[in-house]
Amino acid sequence: MSTTIKHPATIETVGNQFICFDTMGTDGSWTSTFDTDVSEYPTVTEIEVADNTDSYDSYASGKIYESDAPVTSKTITVTNIAFDSITIEKMKGADIDGGAVLSGGTKNTRPYFAYGVDVINKDKTHEYRWYPKCKLTDNDDKTSTSADKHSDQTKQLTITAYGFDDDGHIDCKVFTSEKGYENVKAADFFTKPILTLADAKKLGTAAGA
């Protein structure tokens, strides 16, 4: 048996984020059919993704027989230097007519959307991520007065990503550090939300052709 020493690349920065709304059914259900337009925002200053697990231990004969910690959803916390206010209102299920908005209320159903982000490593490889089934669960609305010394005023979004298929998969990723995927570009991956391993693999085939 041999030992292989690996030197994975460190993260350099978070890249752009991408949002594409689901068309949704009349009852507010997720349909896996998306708008034709994907919005790209070069506004992320920080992103944190936390797994929400449903851990358990099964006991038999006085000892642990089986244990597991399946991930049931993921919480994505995104800090932005700026963000489109109308898009936030749309995420909140507001009634929108141009620049006029009625927000809040108990009858507004928050729509599903796909959320994507590009994570860039120092060796210039990328980790592309799509979370196809998301909802906005929280957002801050804090504004400070201007001062002589500059201070960034940020907007924070909290997004919950849910399982989108029968197996409960939550995200789809492509790593350009892996053989066959070196030439996959952000423009290829973020053209539309990706929901299957087969569609993700096609990107590597196309980029290597």
Side-chain angles (χ1 to χ4, degrees), residues 7-180:
H7 296 278
T10 55
I11 295 173
E12 181 175 68
T13 185
V14 59
N16 294 354
Q17 62 186 340
F18 303 80
I19 292 171
C20 186
F21 283 91
D22 186 80
T23 56
M24 294 209 310
T26 55
D27 59 350
S29 60
W30 185 74
T31 64
S32 75
T33 302
F34 296 91
D35 290 347
T36 55
D37 294 330
V38 176
S39 298
E40 180 176 0
Y41 297 90
T43 57
V44 185
T45 62
E46 183 176 312
I47 184 169
E48 180 180 350
V49 181
D51 291 348
N52 301 314
T53 61
D54 184 16
S55 59
Y56 68 88
D57 295 324
S58 296
Y59 289 84
S61 301
K63 59 183 180 181
I64 295 176
Y65 180 78
E66 181 181 71
S67 63
D68 201 359
V71 178
T72 55
S73 64
K74 295 188 178 186
T75 299
I76 306 167
T77 305
V78 189
T79 303
N80 296 274
I81 191 67
F83 203 82
D84 180 41
S85 296
I86 291 295
T87 300
I88 292 176
E89 295 297 339
K90 186 174 180 180
M91 288 176 169
K92 292 162 66 175
D95 296 322
I96 302 172
D97 188 349
V101 177
L102 283 177
S103 187
T106 58
K107 292 186 177 180
N108 289 348
T109 300
R110 297 199 172 200
Y112 287 104
F113 57 89
Y115 180 81
V117 68
D118 177 11
V119 177
I120 305 169
N121 298 318
K122 284 191 175 180
D123 64 357
K124 303 309 177 185
T125 59
H126 295 252
E127 179 184 334
Y128 302 131
R129 308 175 187 170
W130 267 122
Y131 302 88
K133 188 179 181 181
C134 297
K135 279 193 176 186
L136 179 69
T137 49
D138 195 15
N139 70 284
D140 68 7
D141 191 13
K142 180 181 178 181
T143 307
S144 303
T145 186
S146 60
D148 292 337
K149 185 177 180 181
H150 174 76
S151 176
D152 290 338
Q153 298 197 43
T154 59
K155 291 179 179 288
Q156 188 175 85
L157 306 179
T158 303
I159 297 165
T160 300
Y162 303 95
F164 59 84
D165 61 14
D166 292 340
D167 293 323
H169 292 127
I170 297 172
D171 51 51
C172 181
K173 303 176 182 178
V174 160
F175 298 86
T176 66
S177 58
E178 297 302 304
K179 185 178 180 180

